[in-house]
Amino acid sequence: MKTRYTYGGDEHVYVEMDEEMSLEAFFKSLSMSNAVREADIPGVTEICPANASFQVRYDPDVTAPDEMLKRIQDLEHMADKAEKRMTTRIIEVPVYYQDPWTHETLMRFRERHQDPEGTDLDYAARINGYDSVEAFIKAHHSQPWFVSMVGFVSGLPFLYQLVERDKQIEVPKYLRPRTDTPKQTVGYGGSFSCIYSVRGAGGYQMFGITPMTIYDPRQETSYLRDFLVFFKPGDIVKWKPIDRAEYDRILAEVDANTWAPRIAEVEFDLDEFNKDMTGYNAKLMEALNDA
C-alpha cells in the first residue's frame, strides 16, 4: 500500500496509509502519527488519528506548508517499523438490543431506508444471510471489536469487528440521513459499529442502545472525571446483551455515580491474532471474566 499525502487548506496535512481499513493499516498509521508527535516539529498544534490515516494541524507562520509536508514524509520509514503489539484495555459495554427508543425513531424515518417495511435489524440480518434477527444479534456481540478511531462527533467511537474479513458484518447507511438519533444508540454503517455519543442526526442503522455514558463535557460521571471522552483508539470492546430491567438498573446507577464499566488490561498482538482469530478473541474475553 502506498501512503498518500494531501493538504487540508493552509493548516492541515492529511496522511492516508491505505484506502481501506485494516488492522495493519491502523498500526502503521498509529506508529507514524506517534513518530510525528515525538519529532516535536515546530508549529504542530494537533495530531488526530483515524482508521487508517491521521491529520496534522500546524501553524504555517511557524513552519511553511511545503516544509511541514517534507518533515512528515521524512518520518514515513517509521511506519514500516510499526510495532504490532500494544497494551490496551478490553471493555464490556452493555447493549439493550431492539429497545423501544431506537425502534420508535427508526419507524419515523422508514421512507429514508432501503427496507421501509421492516426494521434496521430485519434488514441487516437479511442482507448478511442470517435466518433471524436473534442470530444476527448474536453475531454482533459474540466477538470483540477494535476501536480504530474516535471522532466525527465528540466522543463517538468507530469499531472494527475482530473476525476474518469474509465474516465481517456489512450494512449500508440509510439512503438519506435521519434528523434524529437517540443518545447512546449502537449503530452500524459499512463495516463499522459505533455508539452515538450525543442525540442528533445520523445515517447508521440502529440496533440498540447502551445505558453507559461515553461522553460527558461536564465530567460529572464518575468514570469520566479524568477525561470527558471515554474511548480511545486501540480499545477493545465486548458487547454484552441486556434486557430492559438491566438497562434501567445500570442507567440509574450511572446517574447515581455508582456504576463503572468492567475493564481489563490486555496485550494485543496483531501477529498472534492473525494466526488464530477465534482462539485469540477467546483469550481476550477471558480477561474480562477475571476483572
Side-chain angles (χ1 to χ4, degrees), residues 4 6-7 31-32 37 45 48 76 91 99 140 152 168 170 173 183 192 199 206 211 216 233 239 268 271:
R4 183 166 68 94
T6 54
Y7 290 110
S31 179
M32 190 172 173
R37 184 175 292 106
T45 57
C48 182
E76 186 171 341
I91 304 142
D99 66 281
H140 185 261
F152 184 72
Q168 287 179 349
E170 293 187 25
K173 295 187 287 186
K183 177 183 177 182
F192 288 93
R199 182 178 182 180
M206 295 184 288
D216 181 3
W239 307 114
F268 184 83
D271 289 334

Side-chain angles (χ1 to χ4, degrees), residues 141-181:
H141 71 70
S142 61
Q143 298 297 321
W145 297 70
F146 193 90
V147 177
S148 56
M149 69 170 280
V150 179
F152 184 72
V153 174
S154 296
L156 184 151
F158 288 83
L159 301 110
Y160 181 81
Q161 194 176 23
L162 291 176
V163 295
E164 294 86 349
R165 186 159 293 238
D166 61 353
K167 293 181 180 178
Q168 287 179 349
I169 297 167
E170 293 187 25
V171 189
K173 295 187 287 186
Y174 274 42
L175 297 174
R176 289 185 294 127
R178 301 176 302 274
T179 56
D180 190 22
T181 308

